[in-house]
Amino acid sequence: MAAALIPDRPLRIGLTGGIGSGKSTVAAMLAAHGAWVIDTDALARELTAPRGAALAPIAERFGADMVGPDGALDRARMRARVFADPAAKAALEAILHPMIRQLTQARAAAGPPDAVRVFDVPLLVESGRWREQVHRILVVDCRVETQVERVMRRNGWPESQVRAVIAAQASREARRAVADAVILNDGIGLEALQAEVDAVWSRWVSD
Ligand code: ADP
């Protein structure tokens, strides 16, 4: 599906999936094929790490004590502040989202000119602005039970915490509805996942 606002080449792929779906694993496999991967979550963390560009506007809006002694955003305090306060959440997003967008464009532009761009965006469906920024959307899908198992194991989180994150994300159906291709990463091992990624790559890139 061609998007109107971006040049035809290089190909731009939006990659998304729920937490624990295997999205990062797929991103690494695409990078191994030569894609230039832009991880928007990592950019958001960079902005709020020590000396991150978002800290000054956040401190100005929410108070200097939002920045911890290590010079990074005090994430626990920020989460507590925005948890039950939609206006605070909107204010935080109004600071972060334009900065993330700008940094995303800068990182995309910094890659080798001909490399396929892969935008790894956990909330691609939720944020709604991505469809016109990419030529194709690749969704990594799996059952909620599998997500819960993987994230409990990977992050050491209690089940309730994993389920709360999943509940706040788009549904499997909402993601699949915008997908140009879906990889069902469930009940398969990493080798089979690799084969699925290879198949998408040869369909979209190497023919
Ligand atoms: P996400 O980025 O979607 O949160 P990850 O790619 O980090 O998910 O995958 C979550 C965890 O599950 C990781 O520890 C990863 O190694 C593992 N995993 C993902 N897919 C598979 C698979 N097909 N077989 C075995 N382990 C997998």
Side-chain angles (χ1 to χ4, degrees):
M1 206 182 293
L5 299 178
I6 49 175
D8 284 353
R9 292 199 168 268
L11 184 70
R12 295 161 65 101
I13 298 173
L15 171 66
T16 195
I19 186 170
S21 60
K23 181 178 60 62
S24 308
T25 307
V26 169
M29 290 172 175
L30 292 168
H33 271 286
W36 179 257
V37 178
I38 299 105
D39 178 344
T40 58
D41 245 10
L43 297 182
R45 282 195 300 276
E46 217 175 287
L47 287 167
T48 53
R51 288 185 297 282
L55 293 174
I58 288 174
E60 190 176 322
R61 171 65 177 73
F62 294 97
D65 56 358
M66 279 299 169
V67 180
D70 60 348
L73 177 69
D74 184 336
R75 283 169 209 285
R77 188 184 280 262
M78 192 76 234
R79 254 196 308 275
R81 178 76 180 78
V82 302
F83 180 66
D85 182 349
K89 185 164 184 273
L92 177 64
E93 289 174 349
I95 293 170
L96 283 176
H97 287 180
M99 294 180 112
I100 294 171
R101 275 202 292 280
Q102 198 183 21
L103 206 48
T104 299
Q105 295 314 326
R107 289 295 154 87
D114 297 332
V116 171
R117 266 56 178 169
V118 170
F119 298 90
D120 177 342
V121 189
L123 301 181
L124 183 144
V125 173
E126 293 83 338
S127 57
R129 289 170 163 268
W130 274 97
R131 175 73 271 183
E132 61 201 19
Q133 300 295 326
V134 294
H135 302 103
R136 305 274 164 76
I137 293 177
L138 175 59
V139 166
V140 186
D141 184 35
C142 75
R143 291 177 308 124
V144 169
E145 293 314 309
T146 305
Q147 288 180 276
V148 171
E149 257 169 49
R150 285 185 187 145
V151 179
M152 286 177 70
R153 190 171 330 123
R154 185 190 63 188
N155 298 17
W157 291 359
E159 181 175 345
S160 58
Q161 188 178 351
V162 187
R163 288 195 187 274
V165 170
I166 294 171
Q169 295 184 336
S171 65
R172 295 177 67 187
E173 291 69 27
R175 265 190 223 99
R176 284 197 304 242
V178 302
D180 295 297
V182 177
I183 292 180
L184 183 58
N185 181 27
D186 211 327
I188 62 172
L190 291 172
E191 257 178 52
L193 178 61
Q194 178 77 62
E196 296 279 341
V197 171
D198 294 351
V200 169
W201 185 267
S202 64
R203 229 171 37 244
W204 285 358
V205 183
S206 44
D207 50 34

